[in-house]
Amino acid sequence: MQGSVADREVEPREARRYVEQETSQHRPDDEAVLLATRSGRYEPQEFRVDLERIRFSSYFGRLSDVTQVMPQSGVGPVMHNRLTHSLKVSAVARVIAAQLAGRVARHEAFARGERAEDDAVGAIVARLGGCDTIVAQAAAHAHDLGHPPFGHLGERVLDRVARERLGLQEGFEGNAQSFRILTQLDTLGRDFPGLNLTAATRAATLKYPWTRAAWVGVTGSDLPVWERPRGVGADPAGGAEKFSAYSLDAPEMEDALAAFPGIAQGSQTIECAVMDLADDIAYAVHDLDDFTRAGMLQQSAVMGELRAWLSGSATLAAVPEQELLADWRDPGHALELLWRRLEHKDGWIADRDAFAAAVERVAEEVGESLLAIPYDGGIDSERAVSGFTRRWIDHLRTSIVVEERPNVRSGYVRLDSGAWHEVMVLKFVHAHFVLERPELGQPQRGMARIVENLALGFDEWLADPYDSGRAPRRLLEWVEEATAASFALRATRPELLMGDTSDAGLRRQGRARAILDYVASLSDQQAFTTHRALSGGN
């Protein structure tokens, strides 16, 4: 059975007593917390404690006011935010995990002699540590906790400002911020850092189980891009693009992964792979609800792009890439560029015939069905949208492959070839017809300026020798904690640190990390109001 992190044993009845107290009051005494979640033995009910702690976290609640893809509006019943997205990811993860858990149960029944035939998939999942539905749900609830105001836009801004202006070479990353919240920042009022979750749940949030520094200095001659895990690009100086732990939290990541000796280094656990897959499915399908209701997907534009590529595939395949880039708005060109990126990075699964079949299916389902009648807010329109979503979720969740030795760019649980290509095309529809809309440029530049000004404004405040003591108390405390942790890491694991590690450099890094923690903890509206206050607005 999957383990927790600590070195103390506890009687199962004590763990059960704690679980009963936690689920009824949600604020047990600290000793009970330590006994229950830091034991080497525990029962599955403890995973439900993890789930409840995440659900009752203020960081989870703030996701209701953090942008998913599009800001809130009055169009349709609801525009997805990070909270509704996380709940839908959790629902999809639960279904996939339940399927795998059932396969494990059949394998175990065979091992006991109760079945005549073994279940090969169940045997693989069992060898890799099993699959618990509650752990997968908890990871799905937690996977976006680290998103700053305005979602991915805010994430990119904070990363750039941290590295270029705040002296923090490690920068900012939403996945690493989520793990930091779970293990350090969120306390639920207790006197120890983090939520004290089981190792299974903590490991299940590690979509990119490495630090940014782990990939510094790795060149294309050392390891080509297509032989690197997803989230790792070709930037020897900057390191990994996506990573799940900052240097300060790397020992906690290592501790969680140590509970899974059967998992290959650099790989996700089974529950993490399920969460990652559910996130892809929810993003690819559910977000189309918003775009359709908002009228942002026009049938003529979508069908023009998809049909142009299908009819001119052979011709487009011969067009030089520079010409495609120069005329990327011409119908079919952007889709051809997508195919070439997939072929370059994911040659292990990318197939042009399968890609063409995926484009054809999306054209039929989206262009000729979902967008055939403009959305008008009526019941028939809602049924059309929900029917589309239901069909695709059912299709994708039943297109699952489990591999004991997956490709480095894949996971133990993934979509089959056809479904994988379909999700890539659905994501393309998002990016090409929504995210790249010129009319979004102006408000997004404004949001980016708010995030940048907040980070730099707090940095200026903390550097003011006459007024720094009046900065927000939580920010001041986090500066002290992050700075102390940086010095401690230099003494014990200096290889984990990036950038200037002198005394002055570490103090600078500690202050910058605390500023990022503080700004990232704001919701969209809190970012607006805080920026207005700092800039002298009324």
Side-chain angles (χ1 to χ4, degrees), residues 286-349:
H286 280 299
D287 286 354
L288 283 174
D289 298 2
D290 288 347
F291 308 150
T292 302
R293 291 188 179 102
M296 303 188 75
L297 291 177
Q298 301 299 316
Q299 184 190 38
S300 59
V302 174
M303 289 300 293
E305 177 70 25
L306 301 182
R307 289 302 180 195
W309 187 87
L310 287 169
S311 62
S313 176
T315 302
L316 289 169
V319 176
E321 185 159 336
Q322 288 303 317
E323 185 176 334
L324 290 173
L325 289 169
D327 301 320
W328 67 275
R329 290 191 180 278
D330 290 355
H333 284 211
L335 203 51
E336 175 64 23
L337 286 169
L338 169 67
W339 160 249
R340 295 186 187 188
R341 287 195 298 272
L342 295 179
E343 184 183 36
H344 174 64
K345 289 188 174 182
D346 290 290
W348 64 278
I349 191 173

Side-chain angles (χ1 to χ4, degrees), residues 390-523:
R390 183 178 61 254
R391 289 193 306 274
W392 273 92
I393 293 294
D394 288 344
H395 164 58
L396 294 175
R397 73 177 178 81
T398 56
S399 304
I400 303 300
V401 174
V402 177
E403 293 181 312
E404 191 163 12
R405 294 177 179 83
N407 184 275
V408 68
R409 292 186 57 79
S410 182
Y412 292 111
V413 184
R414 64 170 175 86
L415 292 171
D416 64 29
S417 176
W420 182 86
H421 285 85
E422 289 162 359
V423 167
M424 294 300 107
V425 177
L426 287 171
K427 286 184 172 182
F428 166 82
V429 172
H430 291 192
H432 189 65
F433 296 103
V434 179
L435 300 182
E436 295 171 0
R437 289 169 68 97
E439 58 266 39
L440 294 180
Q442 184 169 314
Q444 287 177 342
R445 285 186 66 84
M447 294 173 190
R449 181 64 59 85
I450 287 174
V451 174
E452 178 176 359
N453 288 349
L454 283 172
L456 297 178
F458 281 119
D459 186 55
E460 181 182 9
W461 193 354
L462 292 175
D464 186 340
Y466 303 102
D467 198 39
S468 60
R470 294 201 301 155
R473 186 61 194 167
R474 182 174 56 170
L475 174 58
L476 294 174
E477 291 174 349
W478 281 351
V479 169
E480 294 178 1
E481 292 173 1
T483 303
S486 298
F487 276 88
L489 195 65
R490 186 180 66 177
T492 57
R493 301 282 302 277
E495 74 280 3
L496 294 175
L497 292 169
M498 296 180 68
D500 182 5
T501 59
S502 67
D503 287 1
L506 290 187
R507 282 192 289 270
R508 179 68 169 147
Q509 289 195 37
R511 188 171 83 190
R513 178 59 63 204
I515 291 170
L516 299 184
D517 289 341
Y518 190 82
V519 173
S521 72
L522 302 175
S523 69

Side-chain angles (χ1 to χ4, degrees), residues 148-402:
F150 317 122
H152 287 297
L153 172 67
E155 182 181 22
R156 292 191 296 271
V157 172
L158 284 182
D159 185 48
R160 175 179 56 79
V161 171
R163 297 211 257 180
E164 296 178 2
R165 306 287 296 277
L166 299 183
L168 186 61
Q169 186 177 336
E170 192 176 33
F172 180 89
E173 212 283 327
N175 291 280
Q177 193 67 21
S178 295
F179 190 69
R180 182 163 172 78
I181 288 168
L182 294 174
T183 60
Q184 181 65 34
L185 301 181
D186 198 350
T187 64
L188 286 182
R190 298 179 174 89
D191 62 357
F192 51 81
L195 298 183
N196 200 28
L197 305 176
T198 60
T201 297
R202 285 179 289 126
T205 67
L206 298 169
K207 291 173 63 173
Y208 309 97
W210 48 78
T211 63
R212 171 163 265 163
W215 290 89
V216 169
V218 180
T219 66
S221 58
D222 297 324
L223 198 64
V225 173
W226 54 88
E227 294 183 11
R228 303 181 187 198
R230 287 185 305 123
V232 176
D235 183 4
E241 297 169 355
K242 293 289 186 180
F243 53 101
S244 282
Y246 299 122
S247 58
L248 296 181
D249 309 310
E252 188 79 32
M253 176 179 68
E254 296 166 353
D255 192 60
L257 293 174
F260 296 85
I263 299 295
Q265 184 178 6
S267 297
Q268 302 169 338
T269 65
I270 288 288
E271 287 104 346
C272 183
V274 168
M275 176 272 288
D276 195 7
L277 179 56
D279 188 22
D280 260 1
I281 292 174
Y283 174 75
V285 178
H286 280 299
D287 286 354
L288 283 174
D289 298 2
D290 288 347
F291 308 150
T292 302
R293 291 188 179 102
M296 303 188 75
L297 291 177
Q298 301 299 316
Q299 184 190 38
S300 59
V302 174
M303 289 300 293
E305 177 70 25
L306 301 182
R307 289 302 180 195
W309 187 87
L310 287 169
S311 62
S313 176
T315 302
L316 289 169
V319 176
E321 185 159 336
Q322 288 303 317
E323 185 176 334
L324 290 173
L325 289 169
D327 301 320
W328 67 275
R329 290 191 180 278
D330 290 355
H333 284 211
L335 203 51
E336 175 64 23
L337 286 169
L338 169 67
W339 160 249
R340 295 186 187 188
R341 287 195 298 272
L342 295 179
E343 184 183 36
H344 174 64
K345 289 188 174 182
D346 290 290
W348 64 278
I349 191 173
D351 176 85
R352 196 169 180 89
D353 289 339
F355 183 75
V359 174
E360 183 68 46
R361 178 163 188 167
V362 172
E364 293 175 359
E365 291 274 348
V366 177
E368 297 176 3
S369 177
L370 180 65
L371 302 179
I373 301 176
Y375 179 85
D376 62 6
I379 294 175
D380 288 343
S381 291
E382 279 299 313
R383 285 175 175 166
V385 172
S386 61
F388 168 86
T389 302
R390 183 178 61 254
R391 289 193 306 274
W392 273 92
I393 293 294
D394 288 344
H395 164 58
L396 294 175
R397 73 177 178 81
T398 56
S399 304
I400 303 300
V401 174
V402 177

